[in-house]
Amino acid sequence: MTIPDSGYLMDNEASCLPCTPEEEKRIVEELTKEAEDNLKEGNLYYVISNRWFVDWQRYTGQDTGDSPIDEHPTASQHLNGFLSKKIERPGQIDNSHLVKSGSDVEVDLELVRPLEEGRDYVLVSQEVWKKLQDWYKGGPALPRRLISNGVLHKNFTVEVYRLCLHLIDSRYNSQSVIRISKKASVRELYDRVCSFHQLEPEKVHIWDYFNKQKHLLLDISNHTLEEMNLQMDQHILLEVQHNGFSSSRSCMDSTGNELALVPIEPSRSSVTIAGGPTLSNGYSTGFGSSLIQGNNLRSVPMDVDDGYDPLSTVTKGDRGGLAGLQNLGNTCFMNSAIQCLVHTPPLVEYFLQDYSEEINQKNPLGMHGELALGFGDLLRRLWSSGRTPIAPRAFKGKLARFAPQFSGYNQHDSQELLAFLLDGLHEDLNRVKHKPYIETKDVNGRPNEEVANECWEYHKARNDSIIVDICQGQYKSTLVCPVCSKVSVTFDPFMYLSLPLPSTVTRTMTIAVFSGDGSALPMPYTLSVLKNGCYKDLTQALSNACCLKSDEGILLAEVYDHRIYQYLEKPCDPLSMIKDDEYIVAYRLPKNHKELTRLEIVHRSKGNALPDMINSEDWKLFGTPLVTCLGEGSQTGIDVQIAIHKVLAPLQRKSYFSLTHTHVNGKENDTAPGVDVDQPNSCNPQSALWSQAVDGMELEQTSNGGLSFQLSVTDEKGLSCSPLGNDFLIEPGESVRILLDWSDREHDLYDTSFLEDLPEVCKSSFAVKKTRQEAISLFSCLEAFLKEEPLGPDDMWYCPTCKEHRQATKKLDLWRLPEILVVHLKRFSYSRYLKNKLDTLVNFPIHNLDLSKYIKTKGDGPQLHVYELYAISNHYGGLGGGHYSAYAKLIDEDRWYHFDDSHVSPVNEDEIRTSAAYNKQAVQLLVDKIGCEVKLVRAESLIRGVV
């Protein structure tokens, strides 16, 4: 198939290419959609270098979503202005940097670790890979299979990193590596090992040899290796009843996805940015199904060192609570969250007792009690094993089954895991076996206290567990319609407080404001607006900053390559669409500017020729376009000239001007001295045009009615232009684009620096200063959370009075607090173009965190809501990596410890307040004023679902 030249390619290339960039993009999109519509376990996907794939996306005109330091992704790829850039066609696919050096192509290609999807690689379907191979060649091919994860909610995942097991042959004390899918059965493992060593299965034993200790004999069965809790890079032990069998080598099949057995040197521990030996399995498709299976609570073998009945009563061991958790491969996020929970005194007391009567196996929202059993089992080990580190393999296996988003060996978010655990434990321990149907009553002007207590009791009637008792509070949510002022009040439970850092709530933006009537010079304004706000919020802030008149309005526009790339005219579009390195301008225009003819003025000056502009005559664009409005009704070229002269008036260099005469309809008249040329409205614009002289020498009258500028009318893309004549007719409502040609003479007459010094939305120097901001208070984070703010454009509220969706304002208030308060600091921010982590130090009190003034309920008596800190989850590093650890306090010892995976060490109290603090938990202390005695009191609280 031969396709005509697309305009992106060299002429000598286009004739020999099978497809245009647009055609390649369309074919890949169709094949990708077809693959997503036919997902099934075993489908092949291929790993491709993200470097190469981004180049291909740019070549085919796609928005790559790069960071702000990259060039504008669409303006440079579409002919939507005066310039277009040619994107070179990428070369052959090069995946070599993804492959571990020394990998044997004939046996297996092992990927380097760690790799992150979207940063290091992308995944494409088998058909897309074949098509890209036809077009570009290259490689090497890195096929991986699609597997399913989860029990309650299944999803599909590409197994980028297969399970790597180190097989120790007890006969020779030799070692080799097995790479096999974690979904393979124990029977398949036996078959592969026996085939490789030419052994008979009935004469072979394979042991789970984690940490080079015999844990469990792997009986030949259909249990998967994942169900047997085998971990990445762990050892397994081969025992044979007698010797004398020879060995041989076997290779992988043509897909490269089967078992590989590779002789290696003794294993060396590897280190990743997350503190574990491996990383991700990437790529979750988002397709899933709810599948509830009535499995037995002990359907999968547990570790042999269980040593006790998980439901029996257990007492704390000597020096209990000081055991670390081994890192199983980027599981520091899990270890950190678990250490915070297992050092929560009410949970320790609960799970060390017999809680079997409260396990709810029939709750469709729970995990049939397995999560509660697994957590209780782990907590008991940690509190009875002294300082011996625990390998939480069984618990991690349950996470993979019931929360597939935490499966594999990715680094995850400790807050997300903590939220899942709290919610899952609640559902598994919900004392309500049959939830009653409750119809809520209308508020009907009843007191807030009555409605809040009613909502609380309704919730308690359906949700009652140890987690509800200690971890849930209630807040009041108030919504106000911006149109009819309708007020809606609800009372909702909460499990934790997710507090923004004040710097993440607002965004500083610098916008240049231009006068559309020529009454003022351009002026930059630096504003603080809500980060999740919209264009309407920015317009309102600008209106206040520049003292906008009642008959004026603001028109926002993005400037790119000295032309207006787009107008920002949708008030509800989010401000996140504006990048920090873009140039945004605002034009002050009449309030009814949408009904008038819009005049857009683009500036040209002598310079390098623009090949795509007709009659360019060696001109180039410069400066910022100006925008003004023409009068109502039909307009002519004369009206355009008047408007241009008017809007340029503030830029005039007064020292060069001496008014000598005017031209009225081509007739020369004297001008009275003293007339202010900065006030062009002082004469009738319909009957006269001001002409100017420099150094006493008159400017020649031009065909433009007195202006010496050359004016041309151009189209939207700047591909054509023609001289502007006096009789040029403009119909009402049309938009006109004018090219204004500047000669050296005009540059002497006007100060164009005001058009050229356009500030970025966020200057880089300002961004650097922001990273050095001073510490902020936890209270300021809480106040930012409770501050009234408009809903986002994607969270419109349906107003029952207006019968329409409105962008209401929302106000949260704390109504009642739980005994255990979990505080999450939102340090991570995400947008389409930028991912960031804020390392701002948040000052929080370790003792006596008093939240009394933030509680809106009156309550009974003068109770104080005071908290004592006992656990912190810390994150070190940035997005896509880093390391988690935890600080926890042993209440009985009144001493703090640092839990860093397996390593546990004492730490001074004054060392725990750092900028790594991510999640914080605190025990509530209610102050009994009688006798000034402080008591630890179990407060009645409430819990419900978690994000």
Side-chain angles (χ1 to χ4, degrees), residues 56 156 208 226 328 423 446 485 503 511 564 741 761 852 931:
W56 178 82
F156 288 107
D208 176 355
E226 181 182 41
L328 304 177
D423 190 48
R446 291 183 291 160
S485 299
S503 57
I511 311 294
I564 292 178
D741 293 339
V761 168
S852 303

Side-chain angles (χ1 to χ4, degrees), residues 643-896:
I644 291 175
H645 185 74
K646 184 177 178 182
V647 79
L648 288 176
L651 307 180
Q652 293 174 351
R653 301 180 192 269
K654 297 181 181 180
S655 59
Y656 283 98
F657 296 129
S658 60
L659 283 175
T660 57
H661 56 271
T662 62
H663 296 274
V664 182
N665 292 332
K667 298 180 180 179
E668 191 171 296
N669 292 319
D670 291 335
T671 302
V675 177
D676 188 355
V677 298
D678 287 328
Q679 301 296 328
N681 291 331
S682 60
C683 66
N684 185 350
Q686 297 297 328
S687 59
L689 289 173
W690 292 102
S691 180
Q692 302 154 350
V694 180
D695 294 333
M697 182 174 62
E698 294 183 9
L699 295 180
E700 298 179 4
Q701 181 181 353
T702 69
S703 60
N704 292 326
L707 287 176
S708 60
F709 293 104
Q710 294 294 328
L711 305 179
S712 303
V713 182
T714 184
D715 61 3
E716 182 178 357
K717 296 182 179 180
L719 298 180
S720 65
C721 52
S722 57
L724 174 71
N726 292 346
D727 56 352
F728 180 77
L729 184 62
I730 307 167
E731 296 297 330
E734 290 183 355
S735 293
V736 182
R737 290 173 178 82
I738 297 294
L739 286 175
L740 193 156
D741 293 339
W742 291 73
S743 66
D744 293 340
R745 178 182 295 174
E746 280 75 42
H747 279 293
D748 290 337
L749 298 177
Y750 294 89
D751 186 355
T752 58
S753 64
F754 292 100
L755 301 176
E756 297 178 283
D757 300 333
L758 196 60
E760 294 180 354
V761 168
C762 180
K763 295 181 179 179
S764 56
S765 58
F766 180 78
V768 170
K769 291 179 181 179
K770 285 184 65 177
T771 61
R772 300 176 181 175
Q773 54 190 315
E774 295 181 357
I776 59 177
S777 166
L778 180 65
F779 294 105
S780 64
C781 298
L782 181 60
E783 288 163 1
F785 173 74
L786 299 176
K787 183 180 179 180
E788 182 179 12
E789 62 182 15
L791 294 175
D794 297 328
D795 300 319
M796 303 289 277
W797 172 63
Y798 182 80
C799 176
T801 303
C802 299
K803 307 297 183 184
E804 290 186 21
H805 287 88
R806 303 293 190 191
Q807 192 173 11
T809 58
K810 184 175 183 178
K811 175 73 170 69
L812 292 177
D813 293 298
L814 299 179
W815 194 259
R816 71 176 76 204
L817 290 175
E819 177 183 349
I820 303 297
L821 179 65
V822 180
V823 177
H824 167 221
L825 299 178
K826 297 170 68 174
R827 293 191 177 276
F828 297 104
S829 62
Y830 305 87
S831 68
R832 182 182 179 188
Y833 300 103
L834 182 64
K835 299 177 182 179
N836 188 33
K837 180 195 172 185
L838 294 172
D839 290 319
T840 306
L841 176 64
V842 177
N843 272 326
F844 49 88
I846 299 174
H847 305 286
N848 301 323
L849 172 64
D850 190 351
L851 301 181
S852 303
K853 70 175 184 178
Y854 299 102
I855 303 300
K856 294 301 180 181
T857 182
K858 298 177 181 177
D860 300 326
Q863 292 181 336
L864 297 179
H865 299 83
V866 182
Y867 286 83
E868 189 80 1
L869 185 69
Y870 72 86
I872 306 173
S873 174
N874 298 306
H875 180 269
Y876 304 90
L879 286 168
H883 180 64
Y884 283 97
S885 71
Y887 293 124
K889 183 178 183 179
L890 268 64
I891 304 298
D892 295 341
E893 295 185 15
D894 191 25
R895 188 170 185 181
W896 285 88

Side-chain angles (χ1 to χ4, degrees), residues 155-211:
N155 68 5
F156 288 107
T157 303
V158 175
E159 194 175 25
V160 175
Y161 290 100
R162 284 158 291 170
L163 186 61
C164 180
L165 301 173
H166 297 264
L167 177 69
I168 297 179
D169 190 334
S170 62
R171 297 171 298 171
Y172 315 113
N173 197 27
S174 61
Q175 185 170 306
S176 55
V177 169
I178 298 174
R179 295 193 185 91
I180 187 172
S181 172
K182 65 182 180 181
K183 294 298 182 181
S185 66
V186 177
R187 188 182 308 278
E188 291 177 77
L189 178 62
Y190 268 84
D191 290 343
R192 301 291 181 173
V193 172
C194 291
S195 174
F196 184 85
H197 288 286
Q198 296 183 358
L199 300 173
E200 299 176 20
E202 60 272 13
K203 297 181 180 181
V204 170
H205 282 167
I206 298 179
W207 287 86
D208 176 355
Y209 203 49
F210 184 80
N211 282 347

Side-chain angles (χ1 to χ4, degrees), residues 3-6 9 17-25 59-60:
I3 304 297
D5 184 6
S6 65
L9 308 172
L17 293 179
C19 298
T20 64
E22 294 83 358
E23 190 71 8
E24 287 187 18
K25 175 185 174 184
Y59 167 67
T60 55

